[in-house]
Amino acid sequence: MAAAALVTENFKFVSLFFKSKDVMIFNGLIALGTVAGQTAYSVFAFNCPCASGRNYVYGLAAIGVPALAFFLVGIMMNKSTWDLVFECRLRKCRKLSGASAFALLGTIIGRAVVAPLTWVVISLLKGQVYTCALSEFVNSSTLENFPSDQGSEVMAKLPCQASGPAELQGFWAEIERRLKYESQLIGWLLVAGMSLMVFLILCMKRCSSPLGYLQEDYWSQYRSNENNLFQRTAAVHAHLLAAENVKRFFGFVALEKEEKEQLAEHQSASPICSTEWNRVTGVYLYREKSGLPLYSRLNKWATFKDFHYCVL
């Protein structure tokens, strides 16, 4: 029975951890921003060195370095990353099984790879970076009437028409066409692979979900609303607590009209002990108590708050 309950809990966590609507909107905005950034980069910053051995390295750097930076930023900006770090640091991941950890890492990486993959796909579809990087590897024997005594050094110079031999510039149009074809083909294959993978993941999510569509949608809305309200309330609480401490030190506090209204409405803000903060922070596994769903750590804390205490 215990093993069955553990498996059921893990399946719930795997299927319910995704917030479908928020994820789609968030990922769409990331993709649009990446497209704009990639376009600006190719217009203002990309310059092929047109030198043997450097074209390939520069092309890899032009695609790989921004993609890596986007990936790391996506990891750092994801709240779930720091929930997982906190969970492992404070609770030693005792309540986080292998399946749950894998699902959580999947959501973190899944969001983080949106911008890098968009960058790579747009770069390949444009073909400029790929053309520069692979120009020196074109087999000259496949080009009609191309001099057989010309090596990769000459081929690498062709993307920069001013630096290459004038008599060979006529071949560049054919070389560029071939390389752009290869680049765009790889880009479209990558798009097809990504689309198929997303489709399969969504199918697995829907098929394994123990909740109906309406309850799953409600859970997504609850978490979104809870997060928004928590952030706004925390900002006001921190502001009021800071105002009280400043007033105690100076005897008065300089507040704007709106801040005075907030202070008059809420009277005071009491510090919250670390124990309570720890209870509402970290990775949350979907649970039910006597059939009653507990949608978050804060929901669980509020349900059992009478059993909580801390000493200040």
Side-chain angles (χ1 to χ4, degrees):
M1 294 296 293
L6 180 61
V7 172
T8 302
E9 180 179 279
N10 289 334
F11 269 112
K12 287 181 179 180
F13 181 76
V14 171
S15 62
L16 296 175
F17 201 84
F18 296 93
K19 297 189 297 179
S20 56
K21 290 185 178 179
D22 292 342
V23 169
M24 292 300 179
I25 295 174
F26 182 76
N27 290 349
L29 292 175
I30 289 178
L32 289 176
T34 306
V35 170
Q38 203 282 336
T39 302
Y41 173 80
S42 64
V43 171
F44 298 108
F46 183 80
N47 289 295
C48 186
C50 297
S52 179
R54 296 181 183 179
N55 286 9
Y56 186 68
V57 174
Y58 184 71
L60 286 179
I63 293 180
V65 173
L68 177 62
F70 280 131
F71 178 75
L72 294 178
V73 170
I75 293 290
M76 291 186 293
M77 292 183 63
N78 195 327
K79 179 178 177 293
S80 297
T81 301
W82 308 116
D83 283 340
L84 181 60
V85 171
F86 179 87
E87 189 74 23
C88 294
R89 180 179 63 85
L90 185 68
R91 304 186 181 98
K92 311 301 181 184
C93 297
R94 290 188 299 270
K95 297 183 179 181
L96 193 61
S97 64
S100 302
F102 179 79
L104 180 58
L105 287 174
T107 61
I108 295 173
I109 295 175
R111 277 197 174 189
V113 299
V114 173
L117 287 177
T118 303
W119 178 274
V120 173
V121 167
I122 296 302
S123 297
L124 291 172
L125 293 180
K126 289 176 70 68
Q128 185 180 8
V129 177
Y130 186 91
T131 300
C132 171
L134 275 296
S135 58
E136 61 182 291
F137 300 105
V138 174
N139 187 357
S140 60
S141 63
T142 61
L143 300 171
E144 187 177 355
N145 298 325
F146 193 89
S148 59
D149 58 340
Q150 302 295 340
S152 60
E153 293 80 5
V154 175
M155 301 294 290
K157 294 180 180 179
L158 291 181
C160 301
Q161 298 183 5
S163 62
E167 64 274 11
L168 299 180
Q169 289 301 325
F171 295 96
W172 175 242
E174 174 65 15
I175 296 173
E176 185 180 30
R177 184 184 65 81
R178 291 185 185 183
L179 293 177
K180 282 192 174 182
Y181 156 76
E182 295 176 5
S183 178
Q184 292 178 356
L185 177 61
I186 296 173
W188 286 122
L189 289 176
L190 186 57
V191 170
M194 291 166 52
S195 302
L196 179 61
M197 184 176 63
V198 171
F199 172 74
L200 293 176
I201 290 175
L202 289 178
C203 287
M204 291 176 60
K205 171 182 177 291
R206 293 297 182 185
C207 292
S208 61
S209 175
L211 299 183
Y213 172 76
L214 291 178
Q215 188 177 4
E216 190 173 345
D217 183 64
Y218 175 84
W219 187 49
S220 175
Q221 293 184 39
Y222 171 85
R223 295 212 306 176
S224 177
N225 289 325
E226 180 191 89
N227 181 66
N228 292 333
L229 290 172
F230 190 91
Q231 295 297 329
R232 285 159 46 191
T233 306
V236 174
H237 184 278
H239 193 79
L240 294 178
L241 184 60
E244 291 180 7
N245 292 333
V246 171
K247 185 177 182 180
R248 286 185 178 183
F249 185 80
F250 289 104
F252 73 96
V253 60
L255 297 174
E256 301 290 341
K257 181 179 179 181
E258 182 180 352
E259 295 171 333
K260 291 180 180 179
E261 293 175 354
Q262 288 181 347
L263 187 60
E265 179 181 358
H266 302 288
Q267 296 300 320
S268 63
S270 301
I272 301 174
C273 65
S274 297
T275 304
E276 300 302 294
W277 281 110
N278 292 340
R279 287 192 174 105
V280 300
T281 305
V283 175
Y284 179 72
L285 305 179
Y286 178 83
R287 299 179 186 277
E288 293 182 1
K289 182 69 173 179
S290 301
L292 180 67
L294 301 174
Y295 292 114
S296 67
R297 282 195 170 276
L298 184 61
N299 186 195
K300 180 181 177 181
W301 175 90
T303 303
F304 302 104
K305 64 179 180 179
D306 292 338
F307 300 97
H308 297 157
Y309 68 93
C310 68
V311 178
L312 295 178

